[in-house]
Amino acid sequence: MKNCYEPFPMHIERIVIETTDTTLKSFELTFDREADRKDFFVKYNPGQFCQLSIFGKGEAPIGIASAAWEGDFVRFTVQKLGKFTSAIHAMHVGDPIGMRGPLGNGFPLDKWKGMNILVIGGGCAFSTLYAMTKHILHPSHRADYAEITALYGTRNSGLCLYKPVIEEWHNRNDIVVHQAIDVPEDNWKYHIGFVPAVLEEMAPKPDNTVAVLCGPPVMTKFTLPILTKLAFPPERIYTSLEKRMKCGVGHCGRCNIGHKYVCKDGPVFTLKELQELPNEI
Amino acid sequence: MQAKWISKKELKKLLTAWTKHYLVYAPIDNDHELAFQMVKEPARIVVDGYSNTRYPAKSLFLPQSEVLMKYDGILHSVENTEKEKILFGIRPCDAHAMQLLEHALVDVENPDLYWKQKRESAIVISKACIAPEETCFCTAVGGSPFNTADSDVLLVEMGEDYCVYVLTEKGISLCKELPDAEDTQLQAVKKLTKKVVGRMPVLLPKQELHNALMASFETEFWKDVSQSCLGCGVCTFLCPSCFCFDIVDETVRKERVRNWDTCMFRTYSLEASGHNPRPTKVERTRQRIMHKFAYWVDLIDEIGCTGCGRCVKYCPVNIDIREIAEKALHREFEGMKK
Amino acid sequence: MPTTRDQKIQAEAKRLLQEGVVDVVIGFTKGTLPYKMQPCFIQHAEDVEQLELNGLCSNNLAVYLNHRPKDERTAIVVRGCESRAVQTLVLENRHARENLYLIGVPCIGILDLQKIQQHEQDPVLAIQEEGDQVHVTLKSGEKTFQRSEILHNACLHCNHPLPVNADMIIDEAGLFEERTFDKSYLESFRSLSLKERYQEFTKEAERCIRCYACREACPMCYCEECFVNHSRPQWVDSTIDPAGQQAWHIIRAFHQTGRCVSCGACERACPMNIKMTYLTDLLNQDMFKEYDFEPGLDPALMPPFLALGEDNEKFGVGPEGSHAG
Ligand SMILES: Cc1cc2nc3c(=O)[nH]c(=O)nc-3n(C[C@H](O)[C@H](O)[C@H](O)COP(=O)(O)OP(=O)(O)OC[C@H]3O[C@@H](n4cnc5c(N)ncnc54)[C@H](O)[C@@H]3O)c2cc1C
Ligand code: SF4
Ligand code: SF4
Ligand code: SF4
Ligand code: SF4
Ligand code: FES
């Protein structure tokens, strides 16, 4: 039987420096063992995360930033903060690394079929939204959903992730992309301002629409009331939570909100679910 | 369930015989205090006259520090080398706690194999409490000093004998030689049960307490009851039903280990960004109490405290979980559904 | 007229709260078990009757200065060691002395539950203190002790039972005499061979469950991040193996050198009955020998290791070299 704490061996296939300040890098990992690869892709659903593992530096839960159709690799976009994240930032292509996952619930994409999807992302928390959007935009999935609108805000243009792909999205006609930065910059063609304000200005219609929100806590805090004001019902507002984690599988007790474990029952929750839990985010 | 009977003298012989075939863990006197230890000399087993050990028996299944994996370029799980063992003399509250831990650690998709293998290789012989201590309150949280939950065999001390309740297949294999208890003997056990339970605290209204705590979440109540808390690991480490752990790499030994951890430590929920959803002892105390009396109830409709009284007895500032539960029940919180 | 010690404490607490001198009075009140008292935080004059002080008050209340808002005007009921802890915290800039009001009580010593119970399985059902005598009801029967027989070791070896620099003293004679630094009890430990000392130390440390009740009970352990929790790099083995246990005990003691006020709150908080004051006392004895320094006695004297600056040629600077300010 599988030991749920044992990471499987992976290698770093590609590294992309995402932001001009270099605090965010994407790592594309490939599988050393065919069985792990198979197992991963059978289970993977956008919105899930993995525990990445470097012996001596511990583990860190990182959201999956690639769609399954992209290839036999898994992408993670990591912000350099503490022990683990600094260590991975110092790694090179070809280095070995451990991984456990996919973990958590992910977005209920089946449930959303036939609906409009409003994607709202801020800062580096955009990674799983990116994976989800990519998944939906794939020709074999796109027809399952109605209108797709994305709003992505970063402090400045240099901090925007996945630039080439997002540029390409602007030119597509099956997705409407709004981008925003906090302060004006030369040659910036899109919105200026914070995500909540831009969203209010955009005034998306709530009918038959789910709003999926991932961002830094302040953004989430100020955006939720706007969505409510725009008459999005709490059961159609989704967000992905972060908590300190260890086991990632609901055993170590660390990531609870009330009787739910963010690692196992989440990280994706509807606002309605959160309203029914103690307010401890 | 079968009811058998054995004299104290015969039980001693049986214990000695078991040590020849199994690893036996039992309360051993350790200078001022008892602890569950592997029995080397059966004569040292403390069979009667104790209330409970200070260090909880959960450590036999979820050790405080445990090597999960070894590293030699990649991480390998340590091999399972569990031998069949007997855990003798555990109290019903602690046996019940093992059911809670089983629930926390084992699910279909991702069972914790370290726990599972240890638990499955153990035969649990528990002992009913005929003289509960002042800090014992199992009856308040849905248990009983004669509770059979999660035991394979339950012994009840009856004068110079024990009544032996054989509860599972594993228990039967150990006790098949014993004679059945007679009706009069069983009547006496019933009488004793009634007498002992009658002196114990009454059952807490589980749902009412749950609702009160949920309503208390953002009130000053928690500031009140947590003021003297020091934020140590005593109440949770000694608690038989606490299971939280940390995973740490020990680079010198090249091992990934896990250690008990606790929501009472300030570093427990601290995130890399510096954000801490439980920044002070107010939120941390709330978590401990609510986990026991509210979240477990949400999860499996049972209180997650088994009333062993360890946290009451050993908290260095006498924070008493019974007192907090009572206070919560008697305070009016806004918006509370009764 | 208040007559007993408790009544006098209550009367002073009442006056302080009524006159608005302080926002809170920190003291002890009855616990939920016959052998336990609880720290309490009195904010209203009508609640002062809860305040009591006896030999079962086992904590060092100065620890709460580290938990509470710095601008809160606080009165604390202090015994000798607690007053010295407050002094040290003030010297280390943890609290402004002008926000504090110390209700000093000459100490009668703290009882040691381990000395009262022969065995933990023989629970204490009642305790009654009566001057020098303590009547105890154990499950196994009644017993009367001389107080000195069952005092905690820290109190037996206490040199300064009288509160230092208190704002008022509850005028009841304490139990002990003041004395100059006397830690002669350590001589038997010092006379052991290195190996024997290591054995003694190991025998204690190996029971440690890393619950850190000792740290949290200690007024001098207030670091935002304790060295044992440091992760980059991780200094100490995280497990309950000897390497981790011993490192914890040794480094903790070192951090207390010349700061520990010998109250013994750490030992009394320890759920595993581990002895540890001998370590800090040994280090303090060295501080006394080298620098003539005793923690918390002189409100103007910085602990030597904190006072050492770049100008000090070597560790051998005398107390005049270590004046604060
Ligand atoms: C579901 C989920 C998805 C995430 N996705 C991403 C992502 O896509 N990209 C990204 O850059 N970051 C992500 N994070 C945050 C990331 O996990 C933390 O920044 C990271 O764990 C910090 O580890 P560290 O060792 O560098 O920091 P340290 O402060 O040194 O942390 C030590 C240990 O604490 C734990 N820890 C500390 N902070 C957090 C935290 N916020 N969340 C979880 N565990 C923590 C980890 O176990 C870590 O090993 C995610 C977190 C969660 C819970
Ligand atoms: S919460 Fe306290 S009384 Fe309840 S099971 Fe845990 S230690 Fe025992
Ligand atoms: S009370 Fe705290 S330490 Fe115990 S299981 Fe719950 S979260 Fe973990
Ligand atoms: S044992 Fe007492 S002081 Fe320590 S964390 Fe628990 S409640 Fe707080
Ligand atoms: S209180 Fe005792 S058991 Fe806990 S860390 Fe300190 S010495 Fe170890
Ligand atoms: S990370 Fe262990 S329970 Fe969620």
Side-chain angles (χ1 to χ4, degrees), chain C residues 261-276:
Chain C
V261 294
S262 305
C263 62
C266 49
E267 266 182 25
R268 290 185 300 271
C270 177
M272 305 308 283
N273 300 343
I274 294 171
K275 301 246 172 308
M276 55 199 125

Side-chain angles (χ1 to χ4, degrees), chain C residues 55-92:
Chain C
L56 297 169
C57 300
S58 69
N59 312 106
N60 186 325
L61 292 179
V63 75
Y64 292 111
L65 292 183
N66 300 325
H67 295 207
R68 301 189 70 91
K70 284 203 190 292
D71 54 357
E72 190 177 51
R73 292 168 312 150
T74 310
I76 318 184
V77 180
V78 291
R79 294 161 287 189
C81 53
E82 285 161 318
S83 71
R84 281 176 276 120
V86 172
Q87 283 307 328
T88 311
L89 289 175
V90 168
L91 269 177
E92 295 184 2

Side-chain angles (χ1 to χ4, degrees), chain A residues 253, chain B residues 236 241-244 261-264 268 287-288 291-292:
Chain B
T236 45
S241 72
C242 275
F243 54 84
C244 284
D261 201 349
T262 158
C263 61
M264 300 309 286
Y268 177 83
Q287 164 64 17
R288 175 170 78 95
H291 190 191
K292 304 279 178 215

Side-chain angles (χ1 to χ4, degrees), chain A residues 24 47 49 51 57-65 76-87 124-125 127-128 240-246 254 262-263 267, chain B residues 246 270-273, chain C residues 231-232:
Chain A
L24 280 147
F49 67 98
Q51 280 283 8
K57 307 295 173 187
E59 297 189 302
I62 306 289
I64 301 168
F76 298 95
T77 304
V78 182
Q79 184 182 20
K80 185 171 161 183
L81 276 178
K83 188 169 175 165
F84 176 89
T85 50
S86 302
C124 58
S127 60
T128 51
S240 183
L241 297 184
E242 276 191 26
K243 280 265 168 189
R244 184 159 173 168
M245 289 183 179
K246 285 289 169 180
R254 186 166 310 257
V262 173
C263 67
Chain B
D246 192 5
L270 179 64
E271 294 166 18
S273 60
Chain C
S231 69
R232 281 201 296 168

Side-chain angles (χ1 to χ4, degrees), chain B residues 217-248:
Chain B
F217 198 82
E218 286 174 283
T219 67
E220 291 285 296
F221 177 72
W222 295 104
K223 213 170 146 195
D224 279 6
V225 298
S226 67
Q227 271 195 108
S228 64
C229 174
L230 298 172
C232 64
V234 173
C235 49
T236 45
F237 282 6
L238 299 188
C239 174
S241 72
C242 275
F243 54 84
C244 284
F245 60 83
D246 192 5
I247 301 177
V248 181

Side-chain angles (χ1 to χ4, degrees), chain B residues 105-252:
Chain B
L105 294 169
V106 180
D107 54 10
V108 187
E109 216 175 318
N110 291 301
D112 184 311
L113 298 179
Y114 302 87
W115 160 278
K116 196 166 182 273
Q117 285 154 356
K118 290 188 190 65
R119 180 68 194 86
E120 280 170 359
S121 67
I123 307 177
V124 176
I125 304 182
S126 56
K127 278 202 68 203
C129 307
I130 56 166
E133 252 192 84
E134 204 185 330
T135 44
C136 295
F137 61 102
C138 55
T139 46
V141 288
S144 149
F146 296 79
N147 202 355
T148 54
D150 222 33
S151 302
D152 297 300
V153 176
L154 176 80
L155 298 182
V156 185
E157 187 187 350
M158 297 294 298
E160 285 311 302
D161 305 311
Y162 299 99
C163 179
V164 184
Y165 287 107
V166 186
L167 305 156
T168 63
E169 288 300 317
K170 278 184 184 175
I172 291 173
S173 71
L174 273 187
C175 304
K176 50 179 178 286
E177 315 275 287
L178 302 183
D180 286 342
E182 288 161 20
D183 276 352
T184 48
Q185 291 170 326
L186 290 178
Q187 288 304 324
V189 177
K190 271 214 182 108
K191 230 172 106 188
L192 177 73
T193 309
K194 217 172 143 194
K195 191 171 125 205
V196 175
V197 172
R199 287 195 301 245
M200 301 261 318
V202 296
L203 189 64
L204 283 165
K206 181 177 63 185
Q207 202 55 43
E208 205 180 305
L209 177 57
H210 166 277
N211 296 350
L213 290 171
M214 289 312 245
S216 77
F217 198 82
E218 286 174 283
T219 67
E220 291 285 296
F221 177 72
W222 295 104
K223 213 170 146 195
D224 279 6
V225 298
S226 67
Q227 271 195 108
S228 64
C229 174
L230 298 172
C232 64
V234 173
C235 49
T236 45
F237 282 6
L238 299 188
C239 174
S241 72
C242 275
F243 54 84
C244 284
F245 60 83
D246 192 5
I247 301 177
V248 181
D249 288 349
E250 287 301 341
T251 43
V252 180

